[in-house]
Amino acid sequence: MDDLYKSQSDEELVVLLLKQDHQAFSALVHRHTSRFYACAYRYCNDQDEAEDIVQNCFLKLWSKPSLWKVGKNAKFTTWFYRIVANASIDAVRARRSHAGQEVLDVQEDQAVRADHVLEEQDKVALLDAAIETLPDRQKSALNLCFYEELSHKEVAEIMGVGVKAVESLLSRAKSALRDQLHRMGALEREKKGEQKYG
Amino acid sequence: MDDKHLNHLLHKRDVPEMRSNLCERIVMQARVMREEDEFSLRDLLAEFLQAFILPRPALSLATIVLFGLLIGAGLDVEGLLLSSDYEVMAGMSIGDDLESEFEVLSVR
C-alpha cells in the first residue's frame, strides 16, 4: 500500500472516501479492522457474526461516505465505534428474537452444571453468560471502557450520554455481574450439596 | 467477589483471532460494489440509448425523406425568401451606400 496513505490520519482518509478513493478505504480497513472486530465480538461472542458486523459497517461507510460529516465528527474511531456498537446490538437483538428462549436455557444449563468445580475457565464461561444478560447500555459501557480502554469522555460521546452516566452504567454493570456470578456460584454449590447428601 | 477478582475474570475473556483474510475480504467486496454500481449506470445509459435505436434504418430514413418532400411541396414558397435573394438585396443596399458616399466625396 502506498506510504502516502499510511501517513495520513483517519479523518483525512475518510475525506478521501468521499472521492471514492479505494486505496484510502483499504488503508482504513487495514488499520482498524482488528480493533473493531474485537469490539463487535465482545457484544455477540461469535466470530462469524463479529466479522460480518465489521464487514457490513465498513461497506456501509464505503457506499455512503457522506455519513461522516466533515468537521462535525471529531474523531473517526469514536464515530465508528458508535456505528459498530449499534450494529452489534442490533445483530444480538435480532439473534435473540430468532432464538427466543434458547439463549436463556443455555445460560441456565451453564449455571447448573453440577459435576464441575468452579474452575477459572468455568467462571469465565459463567461471566460470558452473565454479560449476555446485561442491558445493552451497561454492556456497551463495560465493553468500551473496560475492553477497548477508551476514556469515559470518549465512551460518553459514543453512547450519546454524559460522563457521569457512563460511570454509573459501568458501576451498575459490574455490580450486576458480581450478583449474577454469586447467584450462579450459589446454584452450583447447592447442586453439589444435593449430590453429596442426596 | 471483590472488584479486583471481577476485573481479573473480565480480563480472562479472550477474543479469538479474526480470520487473516478479513481485511482483504472487505476491500475486495468494496471493489465489487463499486463495479456493480458502475455496471448498473452503464446499463441504464444503454437502455436509454436503446430507445433511440431505429429498428429498420433504411426504411426509417426513406420515410423521413418522403415526409420532408411532402411538407416541402405543401409549403407556399412564394412568400419565402431564398438565400440567393437575400444576398442580392444585401448587395444592393451596400452598393447604394457606397454610391452615396462616392457622391459626397466627388462634390468635395
Side-chain angles (χ1 to χ4, degrees), chain A residues 104-119:
Chain A
L104 290 175
D105 291 344
V106 170
Q107 285 164 6
E108 283 301 308
D109 285 349
Q110 280 180 320
V112 294
R113 278 178 303 166
D115 51 351
H116 272 228
V117 197
L118 270 180
E119 295 293 340

Side-chain angles (χ1 to χ4, degrees), chain A residues 25-52:
Chain A
F25 178 72
S26 177
L28 266 181
V29 168
H30 281 92
R31 198 179 288 177
H32 293 299
T33 298
S34 167
R35 137 201 321 226
F36 290 120
Y37 158 78
C39 175
Y41 184 87
R42 297 281 181 204
Y43 281 93
C44 62
N45 263 328
D46 184 285
Q47 187 183 5
D48 291 333
E49 200 171 14
E51 288 184 0
D52 286 347

Side-chain angles (χ1 to χ4, degrees), chain A residues 4 18 20 36 47 63 66 103 139 183 189:
Chain A
L4 177 74
L18 292 166
Q20 292 284 297
F36 290 120
Q47 187 183 5
S63 60
S66 55
V103 177
K139 206 194 284 186
R183 196 173 59 84
R189 278 193 295 276

